[in-house]
Amino acid sequence: SFRSVSCFASLSLSCSTSCDAPVMVMKVLARLLGLAPLLAIPCWAREALDTTNSAGQAPSRWAVIAVGSAGFVNYRHQADACHAYHLLRKSGVPEDQIILMMQDDAANSKENPFPGQLFNRQGNDVPDVYKGCKVDYNGSLVTAELFQAVITGDRAKVPPGGKVLQSTEFDKVFLNF
């Protein structure tokens, strides 16, 4: 469910029994980007976010998935990002509220024995996570500046028609880097 990943706050960290480490990293990044008030809610308080906003509406769910590595040697990063994309879609997050940024060079790499496909785990009958994965920004467009523009909603700093985070203080945001 989305609730199980809403606390994840991933920065190549994983939530074990406590969310303290990922939350601390997110708070530091938020302070550096001037977003501290947006990320000051501890994981144990996430249930409080399930309430309605002042207009009586349920919160929207948004996601930004960014892969900061490139090349076939970092295959797993792109495969995991596509897997996260599919999990978010299955949990009901609308496609237009998921922003995926990655080099997008592993699936079609000459080193890939399965051209045009990515798999995030081994085995038989494993789904191709690249199939249906909608990459919003790829290649040289993926920069720290673009990432900052996307998470701060700065449309002036993204390519025309590019997606940016449009969440409000009432919404849930999953950020995976």
Side-chain angles (χ1 to χ4, degrees):
S1 77
F2 188 80
R3 182 165 299 157
S4 67
V5 296
S6 65
C7 169
F8 190 62
S10 172
L11 285 168
S12 296
L13 298 172
S14 60
C15 255
S16 54
T17 58
S18 168
C19 291
D20 293 342
V23 168
M24 182 62 77
V25 171
M26 291 302 295
K27 285 182 180 179
V28 169
L29 282 175
R31 190 170 308 276
L32 290 172
L33 294 172
L35 304 172
L38 299 178
L39 296 173
I41 300 170
C43 288
W44 53 263
R46 71 177 183 262
E47 293 300 321
L49 296 174
D50 287 333
T51 61
T52 57
N53 63 23
S54 59
Q57 301 167 326
S60 292
R61 295 183 295 173
W62 290 82
V64 178
I65 305 167
V67 178
S69 58
F72 189 76
V73 68
N74 292 302
Y75 175 102
R76 67 186 173 94
H77 301 150
Q78 294 179 41
D80 288 344
C82 286
H83 183 240
Y85 176 89
H86 288 296
L87 289 176
L88 290 162
R89 291 290 296 129
K90 285 180 186 174
S91 72
V93 179
E95 181 180 308
D96 64 336
Q97 290 178 211
I98 301 172
I99 303 167
L100 176 56
M101 309 170 62
M102 67 181 190
Q103 288 297 309
D104 198 13
D105 58 357
N108 293 303
S109 169
K110 64 181 178 185
E111 298 172 78
N112 188 351
F114 304 99
Q117 298 179 318
L118 294 175
F119 302 94
N120 71 316
R121 58 189 165 94
Q122 297 177 349
N124 297 327
D125 282 338
V126 177
D128 169 15
V129 294
Y130 193 64
K131 183 178 181 180
C133 184
K134 307 288 188 218
V135 180
D136 297 294
Y137 300 104
N138 63 13
S140 63
L141 289 175
V142 180
T143 63
E145 293 78 21
L146 178 69
F147 177 72
Q148 184 174 357
V150 166
I151 65 172
T152 59
D154 191 347
R155 287 191 180 280
K157 294 184 179 173
V158 300
K163 290 163 57 173
V164 296
L165 194 59
Q166 299 176 55
S167 60
T168 70
E169 72 264 25
F170 302 106
D171 296 335
K172 293 183 178 187
V173 175
F174 173 74
L175 177 62
N176 186 87
F177 182 82

